[in-house]
Amino acid sequence: MHPSYPGRVTPTPTPAEQSPEPGAEPGAAPAEEPRPGDLLIRVGMVVFTLGALATVITFVPLFLGTDPFPSAAYFLSMLMGLGFALAGAGFLRSVAAQRRAVRRQAQAADGR
């Protein structure tokens, strides 16, 4: 057994070792609230993935030597840029919300 002294460092319990929230499944990670911008980031990720898939599909006829797809298929490739823009907007919204929260906490600490 190790001697106990004032400077002893104790290990941080893992989420599985922590006491679960009431009604939560034992061993489950604690539920996290969605933050501002999370939905935009997720939607942007899905739209980007669809655009990337459309881009790959439009290149297939070039490699197979068949007739190219109609122009609409190439316009679907633009979803990649739209998804990137949506995810970027979600990121900026998240950053702005975090900055507002820090500013509120600083003002509360100052007693304003």
Side-chain angles (χ1 to χ4, degrees):
M1 188 162 167
H2 298 287
S4 181
Y5 59 90
R8 183 169 181 224
V9 177
T10 58
T12 304
T14 63
E17 296 171 343
Q18 294 176 352
S19 59
E21 295 177 11
E25 188 175 311
E32 188 176 316
E33 286 185 27
R35 293 173 296 211
D38 281 358
L39 182 62
L40 273 174
I41 292 172
R42 287 184 179 151
V43 169
M45 182 179 63
V46 170
V47 172
F48 181 88
T49 302
L50 290 174
L53 183 63
T55 301
V56 169
I57 289 172
T58 56
F59 276 100
V60 169
L62 299 174
F63 293 121
L64 297 179
T66 60
D67 292 333
F69 288 118
S71 297
Y74 292 97
F75 287 120
L76 286 177
S77 298
M78 302 261 193
L79 290 176
M80 209 157 86
L82 177 65
F84 187 77
L86 285 171
F91 173 74
L92 292 175
R93 185 172 180 202
S94 175
V95 167
Q98 288 178 10
R99 291 184 71 178
R100 282 191 302 268
V102 167
R103 197 172 295 132
R104 263 187 258 120
Q105 287 177 353
Q107 287 175 349
D110 290 345
R112 291 184 189 177

